[in-house]
Amino acid sequence: MVQINANYLKLKAGDLVPEIGRRVAAYQAGHPDAKIIRMGIGDVTEPLPAVCVAAMHAAVDDMGRREDFRGYGPEQGYAWLREKIAARDFAARGCAIEADEIFVSDGSKCDTANILDILAPGRVNVIAVTDPVYPVYVDTNVMAGHTGEAREGAEYEGLVYLPTTAENGFAPPLSERRVDIVYLCSPNNPTGAALGRVDLERWVDYARRHETLILFDAAYEAYITDPSLPHSIYEIDGAREVAIEFRSFSKTAGFTGVRCALTVIPKTLTGTAENGERVDLHRLWMRRHTTKFNGVSYITQRAAEAVYSDEGRRQVRETIDFYMGNAKIIRKSLVALGLSVYGGVNAPYVWVKTPGGLTSWEFFDKLLGEAHVVGTPGSGFGQAGEGYFRLSSFNSRENVLEAMARLKEKVRL
Ligand code: MLT
């Protein structure tokens, strides 16, 4: 009889997204005329930038001509894309990242999960996550056997949780217990908070002192509006020795259905082997990437490249400004209702304190029942998310205005 990976049995049942789906479906079944507006899942709604569409069409034509046809590409990504990324995303911000330290991939979710392949199996590393947290960081560590069982209140034994709440300005406190790995996501999903230079300097300093690896998820960096905030961890001195950065075209250029992302592993980053020897993580990831991945399609990489043209940058900015316009409307409407509102300034997510001591799920049911508006309960992201609620600004203007009008008119707070 085949043996299964028993770590999967430790995963908490009733995951956030299916539970939202279940409640919405049950409500819709009982109220077939209700026009439900979904502001829960953070998925882009605007079409691809025109430059990307044109680049993809041209790339398809290339593939149809014998002289331009391409089979397998380099697993790490085509040099013409990596060089543009290095120049525009990193060198332009003063970060010393070389094109060959960039790995093009099909998504940051996959990369943040797959990176565990090159780190010690079992419960060797002490791993810290923020609370609330993007659930993928936790679940992939459970799957890899890096944790014990889920405890009462749904924390996994063996993980270090760093609470980020209104009380600490949503900036993860340095771990009192020494940790080997820490996940930082800025701008943050779900809280919408972006870390400042000082916050990042504290973490880089901590990582250098404790030989901690920072897994820095910058999937939402394009949403930063405050010019004083860093977009990359490599804007901080010393980060090349301690951090891996994940970036994505998903939220930047509407690629959630196209699939393209990148991971940066500086050649100066090392980990320790069992015998104490320092080993280059870039080399290990290269080995992993070339063995388990055959590269992102040529057509997709041409679309990603188009994002870096002057016109591409203008079009991307226009779409992001549109979503941030939604965020502004959401923020303003919720503040007018007397709610405590966070995020939505440097991130597409608005994070709101539930009123009157309601739990996150109680507030979810209230908004669904009274206004037919769906958001994401903060408790689904961790214990410290209890009493909070996330609204996504990825939507049409019409839906956002309609949802906010309903909140004003129909919800009794
Ligand atoms: C979310 O709703 O949190 C997003 O869909 C996360 C993601 O991009 O995977």
Side-chain angles (χ1 to χ4, degrees):
M1 180 89 80
V2 66
Q3 295 282 313
I4 53 119
N5 178 349
N7 295 316
Y8 278 66
L9 304 179
K10 294 183 203 159
L11 290 166
K12 281 173 278 155
D15 187 24
L16 181 60
V17 175
E19 180 57 16
I20 292 175
R22 195 192 63 72
R23 291 195 192 207
V24 173
Y27 187 83
Q28 189 79 80
H31 305 80
D33 295 335
K35 286 200 170 49
I36 294 175
I37 299 179
R38 292 162 199 271
M39 303 178 77
I41 307 304
D43 191 8
V44 291
T45 52
E46 289 296 291
L48 289 176
V51 287
C52 297
V53 176
M56 290 176 101
H57 280 302
V60 170
D61 289 342
D62 288 348
M63 295 294 270
R65 283 189 301 267
R66 184 169 302 281
E67 61 276 23
D68 292 317
F69 171 78
R70 285 162 174 85
Y72 293 126
E75 294 92 341
Q76 218 190 320
Y78 286 101
W80 36 259
L81 175 57
R82 286 184 287 112
E83 278 157 16
K84 289 200 174 68
I85 295 168
R88 300 291 184 104
D89 284 346
F90 296 104
R93 299 199 67 86
C95 309
I97 295 298
E98 300 297 330
D100 65 356
E101 295 177 315
I102 295 165
F103 294 82
V104 176
S105 77
D106 59 350
S108 285
K109 181 194 260 192
C110 328
D111 283 356
T112 57
N114 291 333
I115 200 72
L116 300 180
D117 273 11
I118 63 165
L119 303 173
R123 295 178 57 181
V124 175
N125 289 312
V126 180
I127 300 163
V129 292
T130 61
D131 181 8
V133 65
Y134 178 47
V136 173
Y137 310 152
V138 172
D139 288 355
T140 53
N141 274 290
V142 177
M143 290 170 176
H146 296 171
T147 73
E149 299 288 336
R151 291 184 299 211
E152 187 72 21
E155 285 195 345
Y156 284 96
E157 200 241 319
L159 286 186
V160 173
Y161 289 83
L162 308 170
T164 58
T165 59
E167 286 69 39
N168 58 21
F170 301 100
L174 297 178
S175 177
E176 281 167 25
R177 177 171 172 203
R178 190 201 154 271
V179 298
D180 297 293
I181 299 168
V182 62
Y183 288 81
L184 298 177
C185 173
S186 180
N188 191 262
N189 179 12
T191 68
L195 296 176
R197 183 169 293 277
V198 173
D199 297 315
L200 290 181
E201 279 170 356
R202 278 170 53 237
W203 270 108
V204 168
D205 174 62
Y206 175 96
R208 290 173 68 89
R209 278 188 289 116
H210 296 283
E211 300 195 2
T212 301
L213 173 64
I214 298 176
L215 298 177
F216 188 74
D217 186 347
Y220 298 94
E221 60 78 30
Y223 289 79
I224 292 175
T225 55
D226 178 344
S228 73
L229 296 177
H231 287 235
S232 167
I233 187 101
Y234 305 117
E235 289 178 51
I236 309 301
D237 283 344
R240 280 184 55 87
E241 279 71 47
V242 292
I244 291 176
E245 182 165 303
F246 304 94
R247 285 195 178 205
S248 172
F249 292 88
S250 285
K251 308 298 160 65
T252 304
F255 276 34
T256 54
V258 175
R259 310 309 307 152
C260 195
L262 59 115
T263 289
V264 182
I265 308 199
K267 291 189 172 166
T268 39
L269 190 61
T270 57
T272 313
E274 238 173 325
N275 63 3
E277 186 200 336
R278 304 296 296 190
V279 179
D280 179 0
L281 291 185
H282 183 279
R283 181 161 65 81
L284 295 188
W285 184 249
M286 178 70 91
R287 188 72 175 85
R288 191 261 170 219
H289 202 68
T290 51
T291 303
K292 292 196 178 183
F293 189 61
N294 259 336
V296 172
S297 80
Y298 169 70
I299 297 163
T300 296
Q301 291 192 62
R302 281 294 187 205
E305 183 194 27
V307 168
Y308 294 96
S309 64
D310 290 343
E311 180 55 16
R313 285 153 76 91
R314 196 193 61 71
Q315 290 177 9
V316 160
R317 181 49 36 216
E318 199 172 277
T319 307
I320 290 173
D321 287 348
F322 168 76
Y323 290 130
M324 291 311 284
N326 285 347
K328 203 169 182 172
I329 294 168
I330 298 168
R331 277 187 59 89
K332 209 169 149 198
S333 310
L334 299 178
V335 168
L337 291 174
L339 297 170
S340 299
V341 183
Y342 308 95
V345 177
N346 294 299
Y349 297 119
V350 177
W351 188 240
V352 53
K353 187 92 191 83
T354 58
L358 292 178
T359 66
S360 300
W361 278 111
E362 283 166 353
F363 193 61
F364 174 92
D365 289 334
K366 185 177 174 66
L367 290 198
L368 177 59
E370 294 176 11
H372 304 156
V373 171
V374 177
T376 310
S379 55
F381 298 100
Q383 276 184 306
E386 180 58 275
Y388 288 93
F389 197 73
R390 192 191 78 175
L391 286 173
S392 156
S393 62
F394 294 119
N395 220 316
S396 66
R397 184 59 50 84
E398 190 191 352
N399 274 353
V400 169
L401 290 172
E402 169 68 17
M404 293 303 113
R406 288 191 203 164
L407 253 59
K408 186 173 172 206
E409 285 154 26
K410 302 203 156 80
V411 179
R412 293 172 300 281
L413 295 173

